[in-house]
Amino acid sequence: MSLHTQYLESFLRSQFYMLRMDGPLPLPYRHYIAIMKLVKTGENNWSLPELVHAVVLLAHYHALASFVFGSGINPERDPEISNGFTLISVNNFCVCDLANDNNIENASLSGSNFGIVDSLSELEALMERMKRLQEEREDEEASQEEMSTRFEKEKKESLFVVSGDTFHSFPHSDFEDDMIITSDVSRYIEDPGFGYEDFARRGEEHLPTFRAQDYTWENHGFSLVNRLYSDIGHLLDEKFRMVYNLTYNTMATHEDVDTTMLRRALFNYVHCMFGIRYDDYDYGEVNQLLERSLKVYIKTVTCYPERTTKRMYDSYWRQFKHSEKVHVNLLLMEARMQAELLYALRAITRHLT
C-alpha cells in the first residue's frame, strides 16, 4: 500500500479507528472478530451499534484478505522447503523488490507462458478499446432497456467465471497446470466449509438483483453507519472516494491517460458479481475492457482469495507495473468491502423499519 501513500493514510486512519478508538465493541471483541472474521457467538444479545461495529470489522478484514493474497504478500506452500513456505515472486522478483517497483515493467515482458499475444500489443489493444468506447459513448447512449439486458448478461456470465481450484474444469485453461494449495485454517474454525457462495445457482432464469439506486452507500449506508457508530462513516467514505478517484494518469509506459473508464469497470464488475447493478452504467464496457484472465483473477481475489496464485497475477496486463496492479487490488478490495456493507446495512435498515 505504501506505493499509494494517499490511500495508505486513509486506510490506516479507518483501521486504527475501528480497532483502537471509542466504539460500541470492547477492544478484545474487535480483535477477535478481526482475527477470526466471523461472529458466531450467539449467546449474547448485541445492540445495534455493536452489530454495526462488528459488520464494519468483518467487511474490512474480508476485503483486506483479498488485498493480501492478491498482492503476493501471502507465502505459497513449497513442498521442497523444510518449513513448507516460500516468498512469492513475480517474474523472478522477490516481494521486497516489488515493494520498490524495481524494474518490474521490464520483468513483466519476460514471461511467455500466457498466450501468443505480445504484451505490448495487448496494451495497445486495450487503449484502443477505451478510445473507441469513449467515442461511442459520446455519439449515442444505450437505452435503459439495453443497459439492463447487458447487466443481466454479465451477471449470468460471472457465475461461469471459474476460479482457484476449479480451473481444471475449464477447457483449454491457461491455468490447468497450477497446483492450488489452500491455507489450512480448519483448526481455527468450527465450520471449515463455510465461505463464499455465488449469489445464485447456475441455470436459474431470474437471478436476484440489488439495485444500487434503491440502497446506496452515499444516501443510505453512510448515514446509518454514522448514526450507530459515529465518525466511522466519514472515514469509510473518504477511503472509498480516495481509491475510486485515485489516478496517476498512466497506463504502463503511457502518460496523460484518462483511466476513469477502466477504474469504474473494475469497481462495477466486482459489484456485478455480487448482483449489484447501477442503472446509469453500461455493462457492455466490462466485456470490452476486462479480458477473461483478468475476470478470473478478480473473481478469485474477491471471492476465494486463498486460491490466488502467482500465475494468475502474471496472466493479466503483463505490461503494467506492479504498482499499477496494486492499484487494481486496492479497487477490488474497496469494491468488495462496499458490496458486503451494502447488503448488511440494507438488512439492518429493513430490521429497523
Side-chain angles (χ1 to χ4, degrees), residues 80-108:
E80 296 181 4
I81 293 180
S82 58
N83 64 9
F85 289 96
T86 183
L87 282 176
I88 291 176
S89 63
V90 179
N91 287 315
N92 299 320
F93 278 77
C94 178
V95 174
C96 54
D97 292 313
L98 297 178
N100 297 313
D101 222 12
N102 289 345
N103 295 320
I104 192 66
E105 65 272 21
N106 296 325
S108 63

Side-chain angles (χ1 to χ4, degrees), residues 248-346:
Y248 305 96
N249 298 113
T250 61
M251 283 178 62
T253 56
H254 294 264
E255 298 181 350
D256 299 319
V257 180
D258 184 356
T259 61
T260 304
M261 179 183 295
L262 199 55
R263 285 180 280 122
R264 192 178 185 191
L266 289 164
F267 199 93
N268 285 1
Y269 182 63
V270 174
H271 280 199
C272 177
M273 289 193 307
F274 287 89
I276 300 173
R277 180 198 169 199
Y278 294 86
D279 290 347
D280 61 346
Y281 183 69
D282 182 359
Y283 287 86
E285 294 186 3
V286 168
N287 262 337
Q288 292 291 316
L289 298 174
L290 307 185
E291 62 198 55
R292 178 183 164 272
S293 61
L294 178 53
K295 286 183 176 181
V296 168
Y297 177 79
I298 291 172
K299 183 160 187 178
T300 305
V301 166
T302 55
C303 302
Y304 311 96
E306 74 282 0
R307 300 179 186 174
T308 310
T309 67
K310 167 185 174 293
R311 199 172 183 195
M312 294 179 209
Y313 179 97
D314 282 346
S315 69
Y316 79 95
W317 291 357
R318 289 166 286 161
Q319 178 68 6
F320 280 61
K321 298 177 183 178
H322 177 64
S323 60
E324 291 173 311
K325 290 195 172 187
V326 170
H327 190 177
V328 169
N329 282 327
L330 293 177
L331 279 163
L332 303 184
M333 173 173 68
E334 295 300 343
R336 168 74 171 82
M337 181 176 184
Q338 192 177 100
E340 185 169 342
L341 284 176
L342 285 173
Y343 275 101
L345 296 175
R346 184 180 68 169

Side-chain angles (χ1 to χ4, degrees), residues 64-90:
L64 183 58
S66 294
F67 178 81
V68 168
F69 282 93
S71 298
I73 298 170
N74 187 66
E76 289 187 339
R77 290 184 179 273
D78 187 338
E80 296 181 4
I81 293 180
S82 58
N83 64 9
F85 289 96
T86 183
L87 282 176
I88 291 176
S89 63
V90 179

Side-chain angles (χ1 to χ4, degrees), residues 176-206:
E176 286 176 346
D177 298 328
D178 277 14
M179 181 175 67
I180 309 298
I181 304 177
T182 58
S183 301
D184 182 14
V185 296
S186 58
R187 73 189 72 177
Y188 304 113
I189 55 179
E190 295 178 1
D191 183 6
F194 182 78
Y196 170 83
E197 293 183 6
D198 283 321
F199 64 91
R201 295 177 180 175
R202 296 181 185 185
E204 285 187 14
E205 287 299 320
H206 303 289

Side-chain angles (χ1 to χ4, degrees), residues 22 117 134 142 144 186 191 195 220 259 275 308 328 348:
D22 289 341
V117 180
Q134 185 61 45
Q144 280 294 319
S186 58
D191 183 6
H220 304 92
T259 61
T308 310
V328 169
I348 292 173

